[in-house]
Amino acid sequence: MSKIDIATDGYCINKVVDKVKSKIGDKAAEQLKQTAVEVVQNCVHFYSTTFGSGDVGASGTGIVSQPHKGKIADGTTGLIYGKVQSGKTNTTIATLALAQANHFRCFIVLTSDNTWLGKQTADRFVNQLKGGPVVFNWEEWRNDRPKDFAESKLLPYIKKRGIVLVSTKNVRHLDNLLQVLKFAKASSVPTLIFDDEADNASLNTNEAKQSKKGKVIVPDSSIFVKIGDIRKEVANHIAVFT
């Protein structure tokens, strides 16, 4: 498949770059944007290779045309590598902003199971994604019924501006997120999942025990299972681990 053309500019990504220039400087801000361009180009390429062209990219529809069924599709997992405090959150935000310009419409951001850090991450997305997809966090849908929250808060935006759902890697929060995604019909739009600190809880932490006793006796770890369920719900997605 030939390379899919992508948008390299857009209202939201340009706002993100302008905002960070005052903190990290013009050169670093432009490097940040170039990294986002590279990541989004790969996301668009592998999404299109796996699920068919036309949904995402510069001329994408933002609508899933060929719904994927069954297990999580191969070739849908990528990696953003960086040391601690190396600017991975800025890279994720810039990538998300540019992905919106390329017609991804649902964005799931998974953070470590630390409420304070999770709120800090959610606040950064809210503050930096001005004019972009609408950001929500797990506390906003925790107290509402998932159906009511999805219909009143998510459906008005999901196919137009797009939505960002930030959740800690907590079993109850992820279960609530799964219900929200179902009622928001998120499977109908191209999705991008960012798993922050993917080595924290996302991996199957029971693999060592399973190798000795078998999966029949030792089930997969709960967070690993929940993230898998979320990926199956929004089947037409690319997952980026950081």
Side-chain angles (χ1 to χ4, degrees):
M1 175 180 288
S2 60
K3 184 179 291 187
I4 305 296
D5 289 335
I6 70 165
T8 56
D9 285 295
Y11 182 85
C12 186
I13 179 61
N14 291 341
K15 285 292 185 182
V16 168
V17 172
D18 288 343
K19 193 174 182 69
V20 300
K21 278 182 179 179
S22 62
K23 296 181 179 179
I24 64 176
D26 290 2
K27 183 177 180 180
E30 287 304 320
Q31 289 176 338
L32 174 69
K33 183 178 179 181
Q34 287 307 307
T35 298
V37 169
E38 292 173 11
V39 175
V40 171
Q41 182 74 75
N42 285 330
C43 289
V44 168
H45 170 73
F46 286 107
Y47 180 101
S48 302
T49 300
T50 305
F51 305 116
S53 60
D55 298 357
V56 296
S59 59
T61 63
I63 301 294
V64 168
S65 57
Q66 301 178 46
H68 177 75
K69 304 294 183 182
K71 66 178 184 178
I72 298 169
D74 293 333
T76 58
T77 302
L79 174 69
I80 295 177
Y81 173 79
K83 297 179 180 179
V84 175
Q85 302 298 319
S86 64
K88 287 188 296 180
T89 301
N90 273 341
T91 301
T92 299
I93 291 171
T95 299
L96 193 159
L98 186 59
Q100 187 220 21
N102 286 281
H103 299 94
F104 283 91
R105 285 294 175 262
C106 179
F107 303 94
I108 299 168
V109 179
L110 304 178
T111 73
S112 62
D113 189 16
N114 180 304
T115 300
W116 184 83
L117 291 176
K119 288 180 179 179
Q120 186 180 59
T121 298
D123 287 344
R124 288 186 65 178
F125 277 83
V126 170
N127 292 333
Q128 291 186 244
L129 291 173
K130 300 297 184 183
V134 185
V135 182
F136 302 94
N137 70 67
W138 71 97
E139 289 197 330
E140 294 178 80
W141 64 73
R142 181 178 64 181
N143 297 322
D144 293 334
R145 292 196 306 168
K147 184 174 186 293
D148 293 340
F149 178 85
E151 290 180 349
S152 64
K153 301 292 178 63
L154 304 186
L155 286 179
Y157 298 109
I158 192 168
K159 291 184 178 180
K160 297 178 181 178
R161 288 177 61 180
I163 58 171
V164 181
L165 302 172
V166 182
S167 177
T168 62
K169 284 180 267 191
N170 170 284
V171 171
R172 183 166 60 87
H173 296 163
L174 293 177
D175 192 54
N176 288 342
L177 173 60
L178 180 61
Q179 296 303 312
V180 164
L181 291 168
K182 289 179 178 180
F183 287 118
K185 302 176 182 178
S187 60
S188 66
V189 297
T191 296
L192 200 51
I193 300 173
F194 295 95
D195 189 336
D196 188 29
E197 298 182 18
D199 58 337
N200 183 345
S202 299
L203 304 177
N204 181 11
T205 56
N206 286 345
E207 276 193 348
K209 295 179 182 178
Q210 289 173 338
S211 66
K212 295 179 180 180
K213 300 181 179 180
K215 283 195 173 187
V216 174
I217 296 176
V218 182
D220 292 338
S221 55
S222 55
I223 298 297
F224 175 79
V225 170
K226 289 297 179 185
I227 292 175
D229 290 342
I230 287 169
R231 294 187 67 178
K232 291 173 186 175
E233 177 61 29
V234 288
N236 292 61
H237 74 273
I238 296 294
V240 180
F241 293 84
T242 66

